[in-house]
């Protein structure tokens, strides 16, 4: 992982591969952003003019490299676009800084060390720049044989930026130190979630995922319990077992528990962990299954958030539930028409084996409910319908409490994640009525994301506040990288979950 430090060093004498500065889009051309004054002076105040000559406008995501002023120890200045100049008396949004730092770090792959002189006004801004740099520097090369044997032919041909130095902050200031520590913990765990998502499903089986969780739990003083297929059988987890029945790789339910002696609230997080979703007997056609290793992104987010909460010593109890199974067709697979007896005791007629996420979640949600947490939040790549509704960058939020749903959308926005509140319309419930069982796992096709939410609601214990995050759109980026978001696993919802844990600790949520 990229190292992150604060420095007060003078920019001219800094030994680095590049100095990163911000350039905004002004009414009459590019404008050099605050933080880069010393750099601009070294160009005799001509940096904006040079950038304009090079065709830079200051648009978001734009990256321009130029030779550093003479006398600088660093050879290169990298100007990253910040978009519009803020209104009078306003500063650049933290998310603008995060994305700019990410785009810069991405463009600096192959470099050892970069110094960031972006317009960070306070400790929170510095944290955003740091987080953006660490997230933007991410790359997944574990399966590039050439990368292991020396790095020459790794992705992009280059190793990720090794060290990011934040200029203009206060290294001795408590708030700055805390912001950097938070950025490092969140980004490292989020990047680990990305690694899990990107790991091919022949390697990341439910048992392998559980083993990773066990090792991390041990390292960070988190209690961990893994239910294997025998324990699941004994416990009556019909949903998780039913989904995993067709696979040679048996399912698991992992319980992670971080507790703080200063906590008086408990937040339960539940993640969908389908290590591969073939659709099962209701097999997905080619074109719809190539990226389905990403179907454990919810569990990866929950795992990352619990570890981050532990690393940050948040004053809240956080329990993470990872519902892990592989959805495969075989002679032992659950068939459309089968009825499963769920952990809650309810029976479910499986009409479509591709609606498997709700089945594993149902067991985990009921199990989580038994412990009577103050709130439950589940995260899942649950429906294609949510992708059709909100696109590839926004996750849907459903809840059994409107205020809680609103608080989650707000928390997501605070940390730079896009989400949107979605309803749970009562009239869609009857579409899941089954002639045979208590409920079917499928209902009306229209509003499929909401139908899935209504199904999950049936497995929440009485009186428990609950929200459901459908991250099917933003979990996996099949397009080009942007800002701090790479191709492949994105780590969607990790930052929102960490923020929810922080808000719960502060007594500001639920
Ligand atoms: N894992 C998929 C949903 C998904 C789709 C995630 C696209 C990421 C990208 C889920 O298990 C699924 O197959 N859902 C079905 C449900 C349907 C059969 C009721 C769907 O959305 O088509
Ligand atoms: Mn499916
Ligand atoms: Zn799925």
């Amino acid at each position: 992982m990229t190292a992150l430090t604060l420095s007060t060093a003078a920019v001219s004498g800094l030994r680095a591969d590049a100095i990163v500065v911000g350039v905004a889009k002004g009414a009459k051309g590019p404008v050099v952003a605050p933080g880069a004054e010393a750099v601009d002076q070294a160009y005799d105040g001509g940096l904006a003019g040079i950038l304009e000559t090079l065709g830079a406008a200051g648009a978001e995501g734009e990256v321009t490299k130029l030779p550093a002023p003479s006398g600088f120890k660093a050879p290169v200045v990298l100007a990253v676009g910040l978009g519009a100049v803020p209104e009078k008396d306003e500063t650049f949004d933290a998310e603008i800084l995060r994305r700019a730092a990410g785009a810069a770090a991405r463009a600096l792959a192959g470099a050892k060390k970069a110094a960031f002189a972006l317009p960070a006004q306070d400790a929170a801004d510095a944290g955003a720049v740091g987080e953006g740099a660490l997230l933007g520097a991410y790359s997944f090369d574990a399966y590039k044989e050439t990368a292991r044997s020396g790095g020459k032919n790794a992705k992009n041909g280059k190793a990720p930026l090794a060290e990011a130095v934040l200029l203009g902050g206060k290294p001795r200031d408590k708030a700055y130190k805390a912001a950097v520590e938070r950025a490092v913990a969140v980004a490292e765990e989020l990047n680990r979630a990305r690694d899990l998502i990107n790991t091919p499903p022949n390697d990341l089986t439910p048992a392998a995922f559980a083993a990773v969780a066990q090792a991390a739990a041990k390292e960070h003083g988190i209690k961990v319990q893994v239910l294997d297929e025998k324990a699941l059988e004994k416990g009556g987890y019909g949903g998780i077992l039913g989904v995993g029945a067709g696979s040679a790789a048996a399912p698991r339910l992992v319980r992670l528990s971080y507790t703080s002696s200063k906590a008086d609230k408990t937040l339960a997080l539940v993640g969908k962990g389908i290590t591969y979703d073939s659709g099962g007997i209701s097999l997905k056609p080619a074109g719809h299954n190539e990226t389905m290793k990403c179907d454990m992104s919810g569990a990866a987010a929950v795992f990352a958030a619990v570890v981050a909460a532990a690393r940050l010593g948040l004053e809240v109890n956080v329990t993470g539930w990872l519902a892990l199974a592989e959805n495969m067709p075989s002679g032992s697979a659950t068939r459309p028409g089968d009825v499963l007896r769920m952990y809650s005791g309810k029976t479910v007629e499986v009409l479509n084996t591709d609606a498997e996420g709700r089945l594993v979640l149902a067991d985990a949600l009921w199990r989580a409910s038994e412990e009577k947490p103050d709130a439950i939040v589940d995260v899942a790549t649950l429906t294609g319908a949510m992708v059709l509704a909100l696109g590839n960058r926004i996750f849907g939020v459903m809840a059994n409490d409107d205020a809680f749903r609103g608080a989650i959308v707000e928390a997501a926005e605070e940390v730079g994640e896009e989400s949107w509140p979605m309803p749970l319309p009562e009239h869609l419930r009857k579409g899941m009525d089954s002639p045979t069982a208590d409920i079917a796992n499928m209902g009306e096709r229209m509003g499929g994301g909401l139908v899935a939410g209504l199904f999950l609601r049936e497995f929440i214990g009485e009186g428990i506040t609950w929200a459901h995050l459908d991250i099917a759109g933003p979990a996996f980026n099949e397009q080009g990288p942007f800002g701090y978001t790479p191709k492949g696993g994105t780590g969607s919802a990790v930052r929102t979950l960490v923020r929810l844990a922080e808000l719960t600790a502060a007594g500001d949520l639920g």
Side-chain angles (χ1 to χ4, degrees):
M1 254 293 282
T2 311
L4 182 66
T5 50
L6 286 159
S7 169
T8 51
V11 65
S12 58
L14 216 111
R15 282 182 204 282
D17 298 296
I19 310 291
V20 177
V21 300
V23 52
K25 201 170 177 165
K28 295 191 215 92
V31 176
V32 177
E37 292 81 1
V39 178
D40 190 26
Q41 272 161 31
Y43 286 111
D44 296 323
L47 180 51
I50 297 170
L51 287 169
E52 187 160 26
T53 306
L54 293 172
E60 267 187 59
E62 175 192 278
V63 164
T64 312
K65 284 183 188 174
L66 56 154
S70 61
F72 268 48
K73 291 257 158 63
V76 169
V77 166
L78 184 152
V80 61
L82 300 169
V85 173
E87 300 287 313
K88 200 173 172 316
D89 298 327
E90 293 203 7
T91 59
F92 289 95
D93 220 65
E95 176 62 4
I96 291 283
L97 300 179
R98 201 180 281 115
R99 288 185 195 170
R106 207 150 38 71
L108 287 166
K112 291 253 160 356
K113 182 173 174 181
F116 289 75
L118 290 172
Q121 304 289 318
D122 54 20
D125 280 358
V129 172
E131 196 176 270
L134 298 183
L135 294 178
Y138 175 83
S139 82
F140 183 70
D141 301 325
Y143 289 80
K144 300 267 190 187
E145 201 46 57
T146 40
R148 285 196 230 169
S149 52
K152 283 213 191 80
N153 258 326
K155 196 164 92 195
N156 312 322
K158 291 160 185 170
L161 177 68
E163 190 182 348
V165 180
L166 304 180
L167 298 175
K170 301 178 190 155
R172 279 173 221 291
D173 185 286
K174 250 194 187 165
Y176 275 86
K177 276 195 210 162
V180 167
E181 203 183 307
R182 184 185 187 280
V184 170
V186 171
E188 284 185 356
E189 295 314 319
L190 192 153
N191 282 341
R192 183 153 59 167
R194 289 171 170 178
D195 280 346
L196 287 167
I197 298 163
N198 291 329
T199 299
N202 53 334
D203 279 349
L204 195 82
T205 58
F209 194 154
V212 171
Q214 267 171 323
K218 200 170 164 201
E219 185 184 340
H220 296 289
I222 296 165
K223 264 185 273 166
V224 61
Q225 188 188 9
V226 177
L227 301 189
D228 63 11
E229 65 271 34
K230 283 189 202 102
L232 291 168
E233 192 76 57
K234 213 171 155 205
Y237 291 86
I240 296 173
L241 287 167
V243 172
S247 173
R252 297 284 184 272
L253 176 62
V254 178
R255 177 185 186 273
L256 294 162
S257 163
Y258 161 67
T259 54
S260 161
S261 58
K262 292 183 186 148
D264 49 28
K265 287 255 159 77
T266 299
L267 179 63
L269 306 175
V270 177
K272 170 178 173 180
I274 301 299
T275 57
Y276 182 69
D277 182 13
S278 72
I281 298 292
S282 315
L283 195 62
K284 286 182 189 293
H288 291 264
N289 54 22
E290 294 82 355
T291 60
M292 278 303 142
K293 67 175 181 181
C294 81
D295 216 19
M296 35 56 72
S297 294
V302 165
F303 169 53
V306 175
V307 178
R311 286 179 61 170
L312 295 171
L314 300 185
E315 296 179 358
V316 56
N317 300 325
V318 185
T319 313
W321 300 91
L322 318 179
L324 307 172
E326 185 182 43
N327 188 22
M328 294 290 271
S330 79
S332 60
T334 294
R335 316 155 188 78
D338 281 356
V339 172
L340 302 176
R341 187 170 297 278
M342 309 295 279
Y343 180 69
S344 76
K346 272 202 175 118
T347 55
V348 176
E349 182 177 15
V350 178
L351 292 180
N352 189 319
T353 62
D354 199 11
E356 84 297 340
R358 64 198 73 184
L359 299 172
V360 299
L361 286 171
D363 279 359
L365 287 167
W366 189 259
R367 177 67 191 86
S369 295
E370 287 180 341
E371 299 185 359
K372 306 231 176 302
D374 294 286
I376 300 179
V377 177
D378 78 67
V379 188
T381 46
L382 205 59
T383 66
M386 199 55 59
V387 191
L388 291 176
L390 297 178
N392 284 319
R393 297 196 185 182
I394 303 175
F395 62 80
V397 184
M398 284 146 268
N400 60 5
D401 179 304
D402 284 358
F404 191 58
R405 185 184 64 183
I408 289 176
V409 172
E410 214 175 286
E413 194 188 341
E414 272 183 69
V415 295
E417 294 206 275
E418 289 188 83
S419 70
W420 202 255
M422 299 297 274
L424 291 171
E426 296 298 338
H427 68 267
L428 289 176
R429 170 60 186 84
K430 67 175 185 308
M432 291 183 286
D433 284 349
S434 159
T436 315
D438 297 331
I439 189 170
N441 78 330
M442 234 185 88
E444 284 181 41
R445 200 168 78 84
M446 297 300 163
L450 321 179
V451 172
L454 284 165
F455 181 92
L456 298 180
R457 194 183 64 176
E458 304 274 322
F459 298 88
I460 304 300
E462 178 87 35
I464 299 178
T465 306
W466 156 77
H468 160 56
L469 278 44
D470 191 337
I471 61 167
F476 199 81
N477 177 24
E478 292 183 56
Q479 291 160 350
F482 57 94
Y484 51 80
T485 306
K487 215 174 153 59
T490 63
S492 175
V494 171
R495 289 174 297 143
T496 298
L497 295 183
V498 172
R499 188 72 196 130
L500 292 177
E502 287 173 337
L503 290 169
T504 307
D508 291 337
L509 188 82

